Amino acid sequence: MAAAFLGTRGEQIRFFVLLGFLLVCLLGGGASRADVDSLYYLRPAAILGTLVLLLTPGPWELRRYRTPFILLGLFAGTMLIQLIPLPPGIWTSLPGFSRYAEASAAAGLDIPWRPISLSPDLTLNSLIALLPCLVVLLGFAGIREDQRRTVLTVLIGFVAVDALLSVAQFAGGPESPGYLYAITNTFAPVGFFSNRNHNATLLAMALPMLAVWTALPASSRQYQRTRNLIALALGLFIIPLLLATGSRAGIVAGLVGLVAALWLAPSFTANWDRKWRLAFRAASVAIPLLLVAVTIYSNRAVSLLRINDPNGGGAGELRVEALPVFGEMLKTFSPQGIGYGAFDPVFRGFEPDRLLATQYVNHAHNDLIELALTGGAVAVLLLLLFLGWWAKRSFQVLRGEGARSGDRLAKLGAVMILILFGSSLVDYPLRTPLLAALFTIACCWLTRPRDPERAAEETPAAIAPRPPGRTATIARAGIGVVLAGAVGMVALGVTHARNSATGYTWWSLDANANANRAARLLETNPRPSRATIATATAYAQAALQREPVNAVAARTLAFLAASQRDEARSIRLMHYAETLSRRDIPTQLWMIETSVRRNDIIGALTHYDRALRTSESARDLLFPILIQAAASEGVTPRLAQLVAARPGWWQPFLVRLAAEGESAAAIEAIVAALRLDPAVAAERSLLAAAIYRIVELGDYQRGLALYRRSGGAGNALVRNGDFEAENRFTPFDWVLSDSSGTGGIMQADLTGNGRALLMLAEPGSSGGTVARQLLILPPGAYRIDAVAGRVPGDESHRPRLTLACIRTNATLLDQRLPSGGPGGQAFGHNFTVGGACPAQWLIVSVPGPTDENGPWLDRVAVRPAG
């Protein structure tokens, strides 16, 4: 391995540039988003690395890597083609594009020349994202064979550090400082990535990487043994870590990686006795299974738990539910596609209301589908060409003997590509710079010459270009620096525009930056001047002309038209903005206001629903308005029908409604429409809150009816008077109070007959209400009966039983419990309820502290007297 770092200065520079760039990818290339801060140094590093590699003297082995170079060039070429502006007539005739012709018409502008990409800035960002692949390809073409093998050792080191970081994240919890990205899978070990699936993919590839690593040439037998032990320990450590990531796709990838590792590992048992060989094979199977079992037993196999979780299964995920929408989009935009990187803004225009949620589909989570959708038929053709090359080379490698380390590396490359492509069927790992670099390395390993002997006969002079003269070198360096600077400005400009709303100062063409600038001008100027309106209009028009799917630009132009009293254009632009995205909250707020002015209740509720589904922050604004509107007789049934479908916001809305609602009828109607199940703890809690609020509003009969429909204790005048059942729906069930330090305790009867009773004590308490229950007794004469025990003889220390009218606070009954021993004593009292008392509080209280074996109460019942 040490020899790999020696050689000519050019060989050393190229090797260190490649390794340095891979390290940069490890530290900042674990996210797929275009707005992560790490791109500010990763992309300049890629440009600088490319420049240094091209200017460093030394031989190139370009012929060996010509297929990957050609495929990468073709892929980049399709992106460039998507950025070429087309005449309006041709552009609007492309399948699916006519729906966006309204953008210019609604803005009062002519349709400009536009490229195929509906979001050219995102397509340009995708083109720039190919830079890591270019650096790796150039690096591999410019280094020696032993250095290419050493790259595997470096990657093993990366995996080891990633595994340690993953454990630190898992141990530190969701607030762990080990997470590198703001948007990430907390509660999961993601390592150097932001997505647990991507980390699982790396760990799965690490298993065959470790197997091939042990087969590389070793400088000594001791080094070989040490390397084998490290590989075995790290491989065994990866297996439970894979299960802990929570990635279900990672389980499949890990199985593929494990099988490949067993296949690629060198034979250590060729000279062993048969019984030892059998023992070793058995251990190779038993130990991983044991690790899996231990991980499951310790409740750390999150990946397996998510498979069995009904809320985490594939059937209920947005990516699965959106498949029909993807099919519709493919049919609409074939054969040209929508533009690389344009999936998110275009999908929002096709996203049905049933898929709207605070989470959103940023990718298709199937890169083959997304590639066909964004790149069109040409991208599919390129993919087929690549798969054909991969299949051909893999077959050629598998057909060989496989004894040489280069052959094992080629097989490893084939397996890594298989794992990455398999992961791409359910996610988007190749969109991260780190995994894109590893994918390129795998392609380079797979390109080993078919005839090694012939390759060995090729001398460096045969493949090395003639060294340029001093003048030519200076010219090449100058041109390279200028080109690198230009590419760097574009790359950082596009990155900054995605990252910040002020990106227009750097990359003035970016539609996203211009739209945000226009929106911000309006937000900071509630009464904009003519100059402000003109400036904001220019920005928004430029954004919409460049990117006809930009909802922010369309919405901003609508507000600008409204400020100039051009209502017709404002309405047209706002409706166009909503066709682009139902997730834009200002658009939905405008739609709500417009629907309310037209007295369109159904329309207003539709837009309430869209805003509340997609934005948690909108709830604080809209819930109070919706709760107030719910009291209207015209709104209540329609709102109940909407909530009955259980959109993503129904639970927090019901919580707010049960806390702030002013209409008992509206609360009852919405609760009835939801058909809450008392057997489900969360829904039982919501039922209890609704019942309590209805009682607070003074509609006692409605509250009692809802209580009984929810499974309350029948028609008894006192519910759960024997204290045998759970108090689920207060205040119609017992409210056990501890506000003054006292508390009623329902426990087994101290007399030993197995019945439950109410202990009327809490040691150290200061006295007060122990328990209470709301009764709904019509006017008339009644009798209350109960059994009490362990009541002291001193009257001042006896608990009290009180019945008070809830409205007038008049006392209808006030009796102390009779003294008695631990066996209990029955008692009863008569009382009368007047016509002005629709509901009553039955209260049990104690005058002061008692011991643990203090008074108890049981079998409380009320019946009409006579």
Side-chain angles (χ1 to χ4, degrees):
M1 177 179 172
F5 294 92
L6 304 177
T8 65
R9 180 174 297 180
E11 290 172 341
Q12 290 179 318
I13 290 175
R14 289 181 177 181
F15 188 51
F16 280 113
V17 166
L18 176 61
L19 296 186
F21 180 70
L22 291 177
L23 179 61
V24 170
C25 286
L26 179 73
L27 298 176
S32 61
R33 295 177 61 94
D35 57 356
V36 291
D37 291 338
S38 58
L39 294 179
Y40 282 120
Y41 63 80
L42 190 148
R43 287 180 171 175
I47 296 169
L48 181 61
T50 301
L51 178 63
V52 173
L53 287 171
L54 290 174
L55 293 179
T56 301
W60 293 93
E61 198 171 350
L62 298 176
R63 179 179 300 177
R64 171 176 172 179
Y65 301 105
R66 63 182 177 185
T67 300
F69 270 116
I70 290 172
L71 289 172
L72 181 64
L74 290 174
F75 195 44
T78 60
M79 296 181 180
L80 289 171
I81 290 173
Q82 287 188 339
L83 296 174
I84 298 174
L86 300 175
I90 296 178
W91 189 87
T92 54
S93 66
L94 293 175
F97 282 15
S98 59
R99 62 188 293 156
Y100 302 113
E102 184 183 351
S104 299
L109 303 169
D110 294 330
I111 300 177
W113 283 48
R114 284 183 176 144
I116 290 176
S117 175
L118 293 172
S119 181
D121 300 303
L122 289 175
T123 301
L124 185 57
N125 179 75
S126 298
L127 179 63
I128 295 168
L130 297 179
L131 285 172
C133 301
L134 179 62
V135 176
V136 172
L137 266 178
L138 287 172
F140 259 73
I143 60 178
R144 301 191 311 268
E145 190 64 31
D146 62 321
Q147 293 173 326
R148 293 167 189 144
R149 290 195 301 267
T150 304
V151 170
L152 176 59
T153 304
V154 174
L155 295 183
I156 297 296
F158 287 178
V159 170
V161 178
D162 177 86
L164 292 176
L165 179 60
S166 298
V167 172
Q169 293 166 343
F170 199 62
E175 302 300 325
S176 171
Y179 289 106
L180 304 183
Y181 299 96
I183 300 177
T184 187
N185 293 128
T186 54
F187 296 101
V190 298
F192 286 98
F193 296 90
S194 66
N195 185 315
R196 59 183 163 202
N197 293 324
H198 301 160
N199 192 35
T201 300
L202 174 65
L203 296 175
M205 289 191 297
L207 295 174
M209 288 165 61
L210 288 168
V212 173
W213 184 50
T214 61
L216 293 181
S219 57
S220 67
R221 184 171 298 180
Q222 179 60 38
Y223 175 72
Q224 179 70 53
R225 285 197 295 265
T226 303
R227 187 172 61 184
N228 292 345
L229 289 175
I230 293 174
L232 179 61
L234 185 54
L236 293 177
F237 183 67
I238 284 173
I239 292 174
L241 186 58
L242 255 174
L243 295 176
T245 60
S247 171
R248 290 157 295 172
I251 297 177
V252 179
L255 288 173
V256 174
L258 184 59
V259 172
L262 296 175
W263 168 57
L264 290 171
S267 176
F268 300 108
T269 62
N271 298 322
W272 293 9
D273 292 339
R274 184 172 181 273
K275 62 179 182 179
W276 290 110
R277 287 201 303 270
L278 292 175
F280 179 81
R281 292 173 184 173
S284 299
V285 176
I287 293 177
L289 290 178
L290 179 62
L291 287 172
V292 171
V294 171
T295 308
I296 295 173
Y297 180 77
S298 61
N299 203 31
R300 291 292 186 265
V302 183
S303 300
L304 295 176
L305 294 175
R306 290 187 69 226
I307 291 177
N308 296 321
D309 183 2
N311 297 320
E317 292 185 346
L318 287 176
R319 69 184 77 182
V320 177
E321 296 177 8
L323 284 176
V325 184
F326 300 158
E328 178 188 353
M329 294 174 67
L330 283 169
K331 186 184 300 183
T332 301
F333 295 107
S334 292
Q336 82 282 347
I338 60 176
Y340 292 98
F343 173 85
D344 184 15
V346 177
F347 175 77
R348 294 181 183 228
F350 286 78
E351 189 175 23
D353 285 0
R354 62 182 174 81
L355 294 184
L356 293 177
T358 52
Q359 294 180 329
Y360 64 96
V361 183
N362 61 329
H363 288 288
H365 289 270
N366 183 319
D367 256 356
L368 303 186
I369 292 178
E370 187 165 342
L371 183 67
L373 179 59
T374 57
V378 175
V380 174
L381 178 60
L382 285 178
L383 175 62
L384 293 176
L385 287 174
F386 174 82
L387 291 176
W389 171 79
W390 169 75
K392 178 182 177 182
R393 288 293 303 132
S394 299
F395 177 75
Q396 291 170 344
V397 168
L398 293 176
R399 200 173 54 176
E401 295 180 359
R404 292 178 295 270
S405 59
D407 293 326
R408 291 186 187 274
L409 283 173
K411 292 176 182 178
L412 174 61
V415 171
M416 290 174 62
I417 293 171
L418 175 64
I419 292 175
L420 285 166
F421 262 78
S423 300
S424 296
L425 292 175
V426 292
D427 212 88
Y428 41 93
L430 293 176
R431 296 181 185 273
T432 64
L434 176 54
L435 290 181
L438 292 182
F439 173 78
T440 310
I441 291 173
C443 292
C444 290
W445 280 334
L446 187 58
T447 55
R448 180 167 177 81
R450 294 176 56 186
D451 187 355
E453 294 181 0
R454 180 180 176 184
E457 293 175 356
E458 295 182 2
T459 61
I463 56 176
R466 177 178 298 178
R470 183 175 181 180
T471 304
T473 300
I474 296 175
R476 285 173 54 190
I479 295 173
V481 169
V482 171
L483 290 177
V487 174
M489 288 296 294
V490 173
L492 288 178
V494 171
T495 303
H496 188 56
R498 292 289 111 188
N499 187 278
S500 170
T502 59
Y504 70 95
T505 58
W506 193 336
W507 182 248
S508 60
L509 295 178
D510 189 87
N512 181 66
N514 283 326
N516 287 335
R517 170 61 172 166
R520 183 170 295 183
L521 282 173
L522 285 188
E523 291 170 2
T524 55
N525 296 278
R527 295 182 179 180
S529 63
R530 289 185 178 180
T532 300
I533 291 174
T535 303
T537 299
Y539 280 122
Q541 286 180 343
L544 198 61
Q545 291 288 76
R546 180 170 176 80
E547 186 178 87
V549 294
N550 195 300
V552 175
R555 172 247 297 171
T556 303
L557 285 172
F559 285 141
L560 288 166
S563 69
Q564 296 175 301
R565 303 183 184 277
D566 192 343
E567 185 175 355
R569 178 177 294 180
S570 176
I571 293 174
R572 188 176 178 185
L573 282 164
M574 197 62 77
H575 280 285
Y576 178 70
E578 197 193 25
T579 64
L580 298 178
S581 175
R582 296 175 179 86
R583 293 179 171 274
D584 189 66
I585 297 304
T587 300
Q588 294 304 322
L589 296 179
W590 186 91
M591 291 289 184
I592 291 171
E593 184 179 348
T594 302
S595 298
V596 170
R597 284 202 302 265
R598 296 198 309 263
N599 198 29
D600 180 5
I601 297 175
I602 295 178
L605 289 177
T606 297
H607 298 296
Y608 268 111
D609 180 38
R610 291 172 179 171
L612 294 171
R613 281 175 182 262
T614 55
S615 172
E616 292 185 1
S617 61
R619 295 171 183 176
D620 290 335
L621 171 65
L622 298 180
F623 275 170
I625 303 172
L626 201 56
I627 290 171
Q628 184 179 5
S632 170
E633 293 182 359
V635 175
T636 300
R638 292 177 172 83
L639 178 58
Q641 183 180 8
L642 173 62
V643 176
R646 298 199 172 196
W649 51 271
W650 75 270
Q651 283 184 302
F653 172 71
L654 188 55
V655 170
R656 289 284 292 268
L657 181 67
E660 304 171 11
E662 297 296 332
S663 171
I667 296 174
E668 181 194 33
I670 291 171
V671 169
L674 281 165
R675 300 180 181 272
L676 298 175
D677 185 357
V680 179
E683 297 190 12
R684 182 169 65 247
S685 176
L686 292 172
L687 272 170
I691 292 170
Y692 205 96
R693 181 59 179 173
I694 291 173
V695 170
E696 284 184 329
L697 294 173
D699 200 334
Y700 310 114
Q701 291 293 342
R702 194 184 298 274
L704 181 61
L706 180 57
Y707 166 83
R708 288 172 175 163
R709 290 200 305 272
S710 302
N715 294 318
L717 297 180
V718 175
R719 277 77 57 189
N720 196 21
D722 57 4
F723 306 102
E724 297 288 340
E726 180 185 2
N727 294 312
R728 300 193 300 177
F729 303 118
T730 59
F732 293 108
D733 287 331
W734 291 105
V735 181
L736 304 180
S737 173
D738 60 359
S739 59
S740 60
T742 54
I745 306 172
M746 293 168 55
Q747 67 178 45
D749 192 340
L750 298 177
T751 61
N753 62 14
R755 292 178 54 82
L757 47 74
L758 179 69
M759 290 293 299
L760 308 182
E762 183 174 305
S765 67
S766 59
T769 299
V770 171
R772 62 177 180 161
Q773 184 180 121
L774 184 66
L775 307 184
I776 309 295
L777 302 177
Y782 296 89
R783 178 178 176 81
I784 185 169
D785 294 289
V787 176
R790 294 187 178 275
V791 179
D794 187 347
E795 184 174 349
S796 64
H797 289 85
R798 298 182 197 169
R800 305 177 74 95
L801 193 63
T802 307
L803 190 70
C805 182
I806 196 170
R807 279 188 178 173
T808 63
N809 209 29
T811 301
L812 306 179
L813 172 71
D814 187 5
Q815 294 292 330
R816 294 188 181 273
L817 303 188
S819 61
Q825 179 176 336
F827 67 93
H829 299 284
N830 293 325
F831 61 91
T832 302
V833 177
C837 187
Q840 309 82 30
W841 279 114
L842 177 61
I843 303 171
V844 183
S845 60
V846 294
T850 59
D851 58 34
E852 293 182 357
N853 295 323
W856 56 265
L857 184 68
D858 198 9
R859 306 179 203 176
V860 181
V862 172
R863 59 182 174 81

